[in-house]
Structure formats: structure tokens, C-alpha cells
Amino acid sequence: MAVMSASRLLVAISARALASTDESLTLPQLRALVVLDTCGPVKLAALATTLRVNPSTALRMVGRLESAGHIDRKTNPDNRREVILRLTPAGRDLVARVLAHRRTEIRTLVEQLPAEARAGLVPALKALTKAAHEMAVDPIDDMHRVGGLIDDPLNPAPPEPPRGGRRRAKDNTA
């Protein structure tokens, strides 16, 4: 019961962060933007797999996000059957604003906890995340599994690391 309550709390915090920055965006759309922000350019099929939706659902979502100016969608020049997705600067800015709002709200909440409760919170959350390893909590792991991470064939310049430097070997810790 406590885990479900905490889950609802975190979803509510995410929804409030989203509503404070862009009322037209849904939580699944935000999740797609966060995956692109974390992973860099990805194939449409890999995004669908990571989001656990069918490709046609992902395609409709991408269409809405592209119309809103958050995603750039191009045909892969190396394989014309593939669609490559990446965030636009506006999409990257939106993700940064939503995540900053969410971090601030979570920080404020955690700071209200007594020190002993805070000390137990981190190990418990790490254990919960570790137990969920098969649920692909980390989109980088999921993208590696489905072969969705690619160098950006649409940008001849060397690829910049995604925000926060998330594209890293699995055994590194941040």
C-alpha cells in the first residue's frame, strides 16, 4: 500500500510539473521526450518498444510532438525504411523545464522528512530500482537491448552527448 501511495505521489508530481510548463502535453508524450533527451537520436521502432506501445501509436504521438515543434523526424539516409527521431531545441528546453520543476518539488518534499527517514529513503529506492531491472527503468538499457541507439546520420558533425551525459557504459555510475 505504501509503495502504491508513493507511486501515485510521484505521478502527481510529474503531472503538476508538466501542467506548469505545457498544459497540452500528456505524460506519455513527456516520457517520449525524456527518452529522446536521454538517448539522443533513436529509431521510431525503438522508441515504440521502449515506451511499450505499438509502432502506430508511437507514430501518432511523434506526429503530435513534431507538429508542436518538439521533435524532428527524418528518414534515415542510410536505410530509407527507418525513421530517425531527435529533439528540437524547443523540445530539449521543455524537458529541462519540466524535469527542473519536478526535481524542485521532490527536493522540497524530501527536505520535510526527518533525517532518519531521508537516510533510509535512498537505499530503499535504490533497492526498488535494482529489483525492477527487467522492467527497463533506464531507457539507455532498453535502447541497447533493441538496437535503437544510433549515431545521428542526419548530422555530419560528431555527436554531442545527450543531456546529462547519459550515453555511457552500463557499469559507470553517476
Side-chain angles (χ1 to χ4, degrees):
M1 185 69 161
V3 173
M4 289 303 296
S5 294
S7 174
R8 284 191 297 273
L9 170 66
L10 292 173
V11 169
I13 288 171
S14 292
R16 283 194 300 270
L18 185 56
S20 75
T21 54
D22 187 331
E23 292 180 2
S24 67
L25 207 62
T26 65
L27 283 173
Q29 290 170 337
L30 174 63
R31 173 79 173 122
L33 294 176
V34 169
V35 167
L36 289 171
D37 188 54
T38 302
C39 298
V42 300
K43 300 172 188 175
L44 175 64
L47 179 66
T49 300
T50 299
L51 296 176
R52 307 288 195 272
V53 299
N54 64 49
S56 64
T57 299
L59 185 60
R60 286 190 302 276
M61 181 186 301
V62 164
R64 287 189 289 276
L65 292 169
E66 183 180 36
S67 293
H70 301 306
I71 288 181
D72 180 37
R73 170 177 45 174
K74 301 281 186 216
T75 301
N76 185 347
D78 296 334
N79 181 346
R80 308 235 2 114
R81 293 176 294 161
E82 293 178 341
V83 174
I84 305 298
L85 308 170
R86 62 181 171 193
L87 285 181
T88 63
R92 198 169 304 287
D93 179 63
L94 175 62
V95 169
R97 286 184 290 127
V98 171
L99 296 183
H101 187 281
R102 188 169 66 181
R103 273 190 298 277
T104 299
E105 192 168 343
I106 290 171
R107 182 181 306 113
T108 300
L109 183 62
V110 170
E111 287 172 349
Q112 294 175 21
L113 294 174
E116 60 195 40
R118 278 196 313 263
L121 185 61
V122 171
L125 291 174
K126 283 183 177 182
L128 184 63
T129 301
K130 185 177 179 182
H133 69 279
E134 291 182 16
M135 299 172 79
V137 172
D138 187 343
I140 292 281
D141 291 342
D142 214 19
M143 285 294 169
H144 280 295
R145 184 179 57 77
V146 300
L149 285 176
I150 59 167
D151 289 329
D152 189 352
L154 307 173
N155 182 3
E160 292 181 24
R163 291 185 72 83
R166 290 290 316 250
R167 190 180 266 187
R168 63 180 184 266
K170 189 174 183 177
D171 57 5
N172 289 353
T173 56

